[in-house]
Amino acid sequence: MSSKKITYTEIENKGIGFYGLLGLLGFFLLAGGYAFLAAEHSGHYITGMNNQIVWGLPHIFAIFLIVAASGALNIGSIGTVFGKKIYQPLGRLSGLVAIALLVGGLIILLLDLGRIDHVIEMAKGNLNFKSIFAWNMILYGGFIALVSFYLWTMMARSKLAKRLYKPAGFSAFTWRLMLTTGTGSIFGFLVARQAFDAAILAPLFIILSFAIGLAFFLMLLIFTYKCTQREIGDVLLNKLRYLLGVFILATLLFEVTRHLTNLYATEHHAVESFILGGGNFYSNLFWFGYVVLGALAPLVLIFCRLLKNNRAALLLAAFLTVVGGFSLLYVIIIGGQAFPLVLFPNAEVSSSYFDGVNNSYSANIGEYMLGMAGVAVTLLIVLVGVKVLRFLPTSLADSVIDPHAKK
Amino acid sequence: MSNIDAYRRRFLLGAGIASVATVAPGLVLRQVNAKPADEAVTDQKRWGMLIDVDKLPNGGQGVVDACKAEHGWGHEEHSNAEQKTQWVRTVKVTEKLTKHEFKLPVMCQHCETAPCADVCPTGASFKRVDGIVLVNKHICIGCRYCMMACPYKARSLVHEAIFDQKPDTPRGKGTVEACTLCVHKIDAGEQPACVASSNGAIVFGDLKDESSEISKQLKARGGKQIRADLGLNTGVRYQGI
Amino acid sequence: MTSRVNGTLATLLLLFTTMVFSGCEDTAPKPRLETAKAKSESCVEPTGVMRRTHMDFIKHQRDETMYKGIRTQKHSFKECINCHVPDKKDGKPVNYLDSNHNLNPDHFCATCHAYVGVKIDCFECHSDNPAGAAPVDANHAVGGSHE
């Protein structure tokens, strides 16, 4: 591990702040539980989802969290797999946040199913291995197991754990690449949907996971260190800052490539003008939510020299990256469904079942509650985790983590 | 079905004779061999339909109604129009350049390589060996991935509790459903409800049997697939589109 | 120390047992079995076998029908309903839930499942009454290869 001795301690907050936060998260959990029970009892007609937009806001929350999960593990991987010592003190937290994000996302997915009681059939062996969904179940389960193992190698004191640290880090890293490929592939292989039939969605999801996972991690890191009055040095934060910048740029590059390749094919012109052409909600969300607010703005905040060492700017950049990632997923997934299926190219179609029309969708309060509950589960796991186990370095000051820090 | 019909059917089946259905005078007699009830279906058959759009009045609104009456879908009380189930609908198509216009009924196309069955995590969406694409609702978790994958928007999630189902058409909240090709009728040697109501505009039969009416017509006149470019080799074919 | 723990445990146990048995004053209403025999004196299997394993028969047949199209009547769910649920009562179909959404004692499946306290979810999808079904062969001389 790191050359200098890093000590990890549990957080000690017992005050009103800690329990207040716990209570707030508990409230979101209860609200989400209520939303689940209501839809489970009445059926999905009480949601804004329908037979045209079959996946709605809960799925955006879920996919966001799942994608962010693999990204959050990156910080640990950079330390372990790529041997960057300065990142190693963050390895434990990185693993914890990764597991927490994945669990939060999966809970939303699960609670939105039409027949959650039938999930037991999958445990009884009803799995279709041609389905990327079935593979994802295994990938998600394996991710939690491998990252837990990785955490053990970082936290246990035995010699065995130390010996297994590198292999564990490597396998967790490999696994997370497969996992995000799997999540991206959910959409990449839907041949009939104009908006989804691109294999580039899988690498796009990977690079997006780097960005939003790191952004989420950064927000958590700065928040917990502020609340517990622990120190983080500028050296580490600036490393993370520029890393985030690179990831945001790379995501933007992949997204631009995706649209350019689509524009090359005549059959995709209609869907591209729907998303890019303006005049509708998805188009506005793409340009303003993702491109301007979610990519360009944080890039300015990150690379503007005047804002170097400015933590408020970094925090805002991370938050905007999260907003941008969420917007992008919303545009891809819901915008992609809003655009009608093409039954007959070069023809206009109409029917009593919304053929040929741009479908509309607005999430209702229950869907927000369910989605927020997933986020609350994530935060709750992290909060309880850092409270009971030694995940957080006591100090991340420059002198502690970087022996060569110029002072 | 009256008692006499039932009795006659049993008699015919018992004797192992094909039941014969006459649809209307002057139309072709169509024979469908019924298998014994305890015999498993085989891949020696592949069921299909050939829909002659020109012969269907009003784009096949009549067959939509027949399907509704047979299976009882589309009567959900609480669901809004976007949420209601729709196993089959009539679609009006207008070619942009030529303004040529036609209407056709669109339902599950019973693809040979069905995208819905490929993506289903539990295997609830599956293709029976005789080519009928079905949902095994006993193991359907209601994830709707099949609805994302279907190129024809043929599937619906049931958005609310259902009561008073038809005995041959189990349907329930939280599961996905679609045209079953009236599999309960096919297994009994009968024709799907839409075919029976189509006045001969829809021909139903075994695509693997060269001597079947549907195969002969397809060979002679051809039959188009919707989105043939996807290469799904659909079991439902059209003439006049 | 230990005695205090033991004491607490004993109290908890007592409390728990009281809670469990407090529900037992209202005995569940006996199932009404007469409807089951309204159409036929004998079922497709001996009564004891059916009571214990009807769900296995139904489930086995479920997969046979679903995947292989085997529609023999002997263990067919539809035939259970045809034979065991009355066509009409007071001119109305007999549903497994009554108007208050409780299990209906006039429905054979519901009355027994209420008695034993086992959830039944067949009817969330399947028809719970013989509406429009073919008349039942009351001797169960159906099923098998000749059908």
Side-chain angles (χ1 to χ4, degrees), chain B residues 8 13 18-19 23 47 57 68 100 102 106 114 150 175 199 219:
Chain B
R8 192 175 63 186
L13 292 175
S19 69
V23 179
W47 298 114
K68 241 182 188 171
H100 174 65
F102 60 88
V106 177
C150 176
T175 56
N199 247 351
K219 192 171 182 190

Side-chain angles (χ1 to χ4, degrees), chain B residues 43-123:
Chain B
D43 60 2
Q44 300 302 302
K45 287 188 192 318
R46 182 178 177 206
W47 298 114
M49 292 202 292
L50 176 59
I51 302 172
D52 189 335
V53 171
D54 296 328
K55 286 191 197 158
L56 269 181
N58 201 14
Q61 190 53 45
V63 306
V64 175
D65 295 339
C67 181
K68 241 182 188 171
E70 176 67 30
H71 298 285
W73 52 264
H75 300 297
E76 293 82 39
E77 276 175 52
H78 303 290
S79 303
N80 63 31
E82 282 100 337
Q83 292 170 330
K84 279 202 165 123
T85 54
Q86 187 111 16
W87 287 23
V88 51
R89 71 222 190 245
T90 65
V91 177
K92 189 171 112 179
V93 182
T94 315
E95 175 106 1
K96 276 181 193 155
L97 180 70
T98 61
K99 302 291 172 215
H100 174 65
E101 204 178 283
F102 60 88
K103 283 186 180 176
L104 75 166
V106 177
M107 74 297 275
C108 172
Q109 304 287 302
H110 298 280
C111 310
E112 185 182 32
T113 44
C116 55
D118 284 347
V119 301
C120 177
T122 66

Side-chain angles (χ1 to χ4, degrees), chain C residues 18-47:
Chain C
T18 333
M19 274 161 63
V20 167
F21 286 105
S22 62
C24 288
E25 282 169 43
D26 313 313
T27 46
K30 286 265 177 225
R32 291 189 205 162
L33 299 180
E34 58 273 25
T35 51
K37 299 192 172 174
K39 289 186 195 168
S40 173
E41 205 38 55
S42 63
C43 196
V44 294
E45 307 283 353
T47 307

Side-chain angles (χ1 to χ4, degrees), chain A residues 40-45 47 49-52 54-55 59 112-115 118-119 121-122 126-128 130-134 185-187 190-194 196 337 341-344 346-355, chain B residues 78-79 81-86 89-96 102 104 117-123 137-145 147-153 155-157 159-161 173-175 226-227 230 241:
Chain A
E40 170 73 8
H41 178 257
S42 307
H44 274 69
Y45 80 87
T47 72
M49 290 175 274
N50 52 48
N51 282 332
Q52 328 301 320
V54 302
W55 285 348
H59 300 82
D112 183 68
L113 292 176
R115 290 291 312 235
H118 285 180
V119 172
E121 299 290 340
M122 297 177 83
N126 283 308
L127 277 176
N128 170 26
K130 230 179 156 183
S131 167
I132 196 76
F133 247 34
S185 301
I186 290 176
F187 303 97
L190 296 175
V191 288
R193 298 257 175 187
Q194 301 290 306
F196 296 149
Q337 294 174 82
L341 282 170
V342 175
L343 287 180
F344 295 93
N346 294 319
E348 283 175 2
V349 292
S350 63
S351 78
S352 61
Y353 200 49
F354 309 96
D355 283 289
Chain B
H78 303 290
S79 303
E82 282 100 337
Q83 292 170 330
K84 279 202 165 123
T85 54
Q86 187 111 16
R89 71 222 190 245
T90 65
V91 177
K92 189 171 112 179
V93 182
T94 315
E95 175 106 1
K96 276 181 193 155
F102 60 88
L104 75 166
D118 284 347
V119 301
C120 177
T122 66
K137 289 165 194 173
H138 304 106
I139 59 173
C140 169
I141 57 174
C143 72
R144 288 101 87 199
Y145 197 14
M147 298 171 70
M148 293 286 277
C150 176
Y152 305 102
K153 206 162 76 169
R155 295 194 153 199
S156 311
L157 175 80
H159 279 68
E160 62 183 79
K173 180 185 80 189
T175 56
I226 308 177
R227 292 296 311 262
L230 296 173
I241 66 169

Side-chain angles (χ1 to χ4, degrees), chain A residues 280-302:
Chain A
N280 63 59
F281 173 71
Y282 304 103
S283 195
N284 292 338
L285 191 63
F286 176 78
W287 288 110
F288 299 110
Y290 171 62
V291 177
V292 176
L293 266 184
L296 299 179
L299 282 175
V300 169
L301 287 169
I302 286 168

